[in-house]
């Protein structure tokens, strides 16, 4: 069985668990404590020199880092990816948007404001206004799209929705007001109503 | 003919020009001045609500943002993508790595240290040590891989190499010392020796 090296609290790891659960792919979860630094030690670095989770380890020890690439690999050829090339490109575009323009502000604000010890937050406090400005800009881009589309790529739920759901659904933990984004809020409800949906807390 | 909305100086736009040139895909280049703010005005935002280049506009007005997704779309089914699913997933993994762990430090350092007006750089000067630390960490991850592989995905040149070449080849403009990374330097030379290679400055 494939091993997911992960932190339960990480939205990037949640995306992989959610897609795998909906696809019926069993995973063994190997948990890393958030502040222990184990992903920066030689044993882990031999699997991912970038020292980050999630990391998918397949039978035989082949390793794949990066949540977007793991989502892609688990779902290739399934209903979680569009069939046609143009829609698939749009799906990837939203996944790159999420990692570049969304996650570095929305996930990072959640981590420091909700998860990190207070004394660590104080060192980062001056960055909060920038995280909120850029994170709200990303939510506004999503709102513009979702005012006229039910889903991010094509007319159906795909791994682009899973990628964006990962940190959007818990954005309020980072101080974002989702009530300012009604189309995003409706889409969050549509995602949570998909068959075999699991919440971030769910482990197996 | 497809239109590439772009800034010539941007490594993200260069990636698209390089792949298109090597694939023999003609593009009309529409240039945006770097500091004019045109990509944040309504006409452009109607094409990409995220206000960024590169943006590929196909016949009929269909638009695709995000350099990684554009690279994917232009090269799907060509020799610039591996045939097998596992290698393709590794290719995407390196492309997500580039946008998350590499570009935000290496491209950003180049922009502020080489392109931005001095008075603007002074406002960012305190960030330079962090850009250099995290950019050097990304170069070290590349070095680890390239010590034992000629290319990033599988055993051949792919859009993962193009994605990583875009800002690595000009990293010294951001204050990075490529001589510290001999395997990266050799790989840069291999990329530049590929058929139909063009430098960043080349426009058509």
């Amino acid at each position: 069985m494939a091993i997911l090296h992960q932190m339960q609290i990480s939205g990037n790891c949640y995306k992989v668990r959610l897609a795998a659960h909906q696809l019926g792919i069993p995973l063994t979860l190997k948990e890393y404590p958030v502040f222990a630094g184990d992903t920066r030690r030689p044993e882990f670095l031999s699997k991912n020199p970038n020292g980050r989770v999630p990391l998918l380890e397949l039978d035989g020890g082949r390793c794949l880092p990066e949540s977007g690439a793991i989502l892609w690999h688990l779902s290739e050829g399934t209903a979680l990816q569009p069939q046609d090339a143009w829609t698939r490109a749009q799906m990837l575009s939203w996944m790159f948007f999420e990692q570049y323009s969304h996650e570095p502000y929305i996930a990072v604000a959640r981590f420091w404001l909700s998860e990190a010890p207070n004394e660590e937050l104080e060192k980062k406090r001056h960055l909060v206004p920038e995280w909120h400005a850029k994170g709200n800009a990303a939510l506004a881009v999503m709102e513009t799209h979702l005012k006229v589309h039910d889903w991010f790529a094509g007319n159906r739920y795909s791994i682009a929705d899973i990628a964006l759901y990962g940190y959007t659904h818990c954005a309020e933990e980072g101080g974002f007001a989702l009530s300012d984004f009604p189309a995003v809020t409706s889409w969050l409800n549509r995602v949570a109503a998909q068959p075999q949906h699991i919440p971030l807390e769910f482990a197996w």
Side-chain angles (χ1 to χ4, degrees), chain A residues 45-131:
Chain A
L45 291 173
S46 71
K47 298 178 190 291
N48 179 11
N50 201 27
R52 292 176 182 277
V53 292
L55 176 73
L56 186 70
E57 182 174 356
L58 300 188
D59 297 339
R62 294 180 305 165
C63 287
L64 184 66
E66 297 293 334
S67 61
I70 299 170
L71 285 176
W72 172 279
H73 189 60
L74 293 180
S75 65
E76 193 164 1
T78 76
L80 288 182
Q81 288 196 24
Q83 296 292 311
D84 76 287
W86 176 250
T87 312
R88 203 157 48 231
Q90 290 178 299
M91 178 189 81
L92 278 172
S93 184
W94 281 111
M95 292 167 71
F96 279 108
F97 162 84
E98 193 269 343
Q99 286 287 285
Y100 192 86
S101 297
H102 179 291
E103 201 266 12
Y105 311 109
I106 294 177
V108 167
R110 168 181 174 259
F111 178 78
W112 291 103
L113 291 167
S114 286
E115 309 299 341
N118 257 337
E119 63 272 22
E120 295 299 314
L121 168 60
E122 288 317 310
K123 298 178 198 164
K124 301 278 184 178
R125 179 75 73 181
H126 64 288
L127 296 172
V128 173
E130 182 186 352
W131 295 338

Side-chain angles (χ1 to χ4, degrees), chain A residues 4-17 31-32 34 53-54 67 103 107 110-111 115 166-167 169-170 200:
Chain A
L4 181 66
H5 299 265
Q6 69 137 17
M7 297 176 184
Q8 184 72 26
I9 205 174
S10 152
N12 285 324
C13 298
Y14 170 46
K15 298 169 192 178
V16 177
R17 295 194 303 273
E31 183 73 13
Y32 291 75
V34 175
V53 292
S67 61
E103 201 266 12
R110 168 181 174 259
F111 178 78
E115 309 299 341
Y167 285 107
H169 86 287
C170 53
L200 185 140

Side-chain angles (χ1 to χ4, degrees), chain A residues 113-182:
Chain A
L113 291 167
S114 286
E115 309 299 341
N118 257 337
E119 63 272 22
E120 295 299 314
L121 168 60
E122 288 317 310
K123 298 178 198 164
K124 301 278 184 178
R125 179 75 73 181
H126 64 288
L127 296 172
V128 173
E130 182 186 352
W131 295 338
H132 282 169
K134 293 185 174 175
N136 277 315
L139 292 169
V141 170
M142 294 172 66
E143 182 77 9
T144 297
H145 179 85
L146 291 168
K147 276 181 181 164
V148 285
H149 302 89
D150 280 350
W151 306 106
F152 279 99
N155 295 314
R156 69 182 201 195
Y157 179 66
S158 76
I159 54 171
D161 299 285
I162 293 176
L164 281 156
Y165 186 83
Y167 285 107
T168 304
H169 86 287
C170 53
E172 297 200 334
E173 296 173 21
F176 295 94
L178 290 173
S179 56
D180 293 347
F181 303 98

